[in-house]
Amino acid sequence: VQLQASGGGLVQPGGSLRLSCQVSGRVFAINGMGWYRQSPGKEREAVTVINSYGHASYIDSVKDRFTISRDNAKQMVYLQMNNLKPDDTGIYYCGVDMARTASEATSYFWGEGTQVTVSS
């Protein structure tokens, strides 16, 4: 099973980006999915997570600007980022809590990050 994130890039303040994360391979069950970021000089933080019922939570700094969504049939999670600010700069990682087989307990899997740079 692999997680592949994409959609990062360089954008001016106020711009938008949409990140995507594809879970490839055979998966038995997917629970929570989330986006995390590591900004320069800071530890990795959880930006937003969404559970299997579609309920999402966000850190205060991105509320009303970012939207997480998921497509269970496609095994994908998305992050729509609007009104981006320089403080949003960082490497964004997707993380998924899942079980690969019926006999396996769920564990957290990480994708490789995608760089988001917000600068004029």
Side-chain angles (χ1 to χ4, degrees):
V1 174
Q2 291 185 324
L3 279 65
Q4 182 64 51
S6 61
L10 172 63
V11 64
Q12 292 185 342
S16 298
L17 284 174
R18 187 183 191 227
L19 305 184
S20 300
C21 178
Q22 172 75 65
V23 179
S24 60
R26 195 165 187 173
V27 175
F28 174 73
I30 296 177
N31 294 334
M33 310 177 85
W35 288 96
Y36 303 75
R37 73 183 175 197
Q38 186 160 18
S39 301
K42 297 182 179 180
E43 295 185 352
R44 187 181 300 189
E45 63 177 344
V47 176
T48 175
V49 294
I50 184 169
N51 65 19
S52 57
Y53 299 101
H55 177 74
S57 60
Y58 303 86
I59 56 173
D60 287 344
S61 62
V62 307
K63 284 181 180 177
D64 300 323
R65 299 189 298 121
F66 290 11
T67 303
I68 188 172
S69 60
R70 60 191 283 171
D71 185 327
N72 293 328
K74 296 181 178 179
Q75 298 183 164
M76 293 195 70
V77 60
Y78 307 95
L79 181 62
Q80 178 66 43
M81 304 185 293
N82 298 328
N83 191 21
L84 281 160
K85 303 177 180 181
D87 283 349
D88 295 320
T89 294
I91 302 174
Y92 284 70
Y93 301 87
C94 58
V96 177
D97 180 38
M98 62 182 171
R100 292 171 294 183
T101 66
S103 60
E104 182 181 82
T106 61
S107 56
Y108 222 77
F109 292 80
W110 296 96
E112 294 186 2
T114 183
Q115 176 71 46
V116 172
T117 303
V118 185
S119 175
S120 56

